[in-house]
Amino acid sequence: MLELCALTVYGYWGFKIGGPMVMKWILAFLIPFVIATIWGIFGSPKASIQLSGSAHFLLEIFIFLTPVVLLLSQGKVKLAWIYGIIVVINKILLYVWEQ
């Protein structure tokens, strides 16, 4: 669910920064597609290329905390806080449950 929320934020941001309507829609689909592809190849549990612990952690930071910055850049402060807190809680729980 967290991955889908992140992709939604990437798409929203792409739509908002795009100029003409065609570019808005291209960015709204292209940015999440690129992020999902990167996550699928390198970050997901069944990734075809498994990264080491620290490299995987940095990828997670990039993929899941960048949406906080993107939401803030669009003036969505409450959503940025809510999403950011959920990401941090999720990471803590994954560590506690050794997943």
Side-chain angles (χ1 to χ4, degrees):
M1 193 60 127
L2 198 56
E3 294 164 352
L4 293 176
C5 289
L7 292 175
T8 301
V9 172
Y10 283 112
Y12 172 77
W13 181 76
F15 186 84
K16 288 300 210 174
I17 66 163
M21 190 57 71
V22 171
M23 186 55 90
K24 287 179 180 284
W25 286 107
I26 289 172
L27 291 175
F29 287 103
L30 186 61
I31 294 171
F33 177 78
V34 170
I35 296 296
T37 302
I38 291 169
W39 180 249
I41 293 171
F42 298 106
S44 72
K46 295 182 180 181
S48 56
I49 301 173
Q50 293 292 325
L51 298 177
S52 67
S54 59
H56 189 270
F57 181 72
L58 289 174
L59 180 65
E60 283 182 329
I61 295 279
F62 173 76
I63 298 288
F64 292 109
L65 288 182
T66 298
V68 172
V69 175
L70 299 179
L71 286 169
L72 289 172
S73 76
Q74 295 301 311
K76 306 293 183 189
V77 177
K78 286 182 184 178
L79 283 177
W81 272 102
I82 292 168
Y83 175 80
I85 290 169
I86 290 171
V87 168
V88 170
I89 290 171
N90 179 64
K91 191 63 184 164
I92 290 169
L93 290 176
L94 287 174
Y95 179 77
V96 169
W97 293 332
E98 298 176 358
Q99 294 185 359

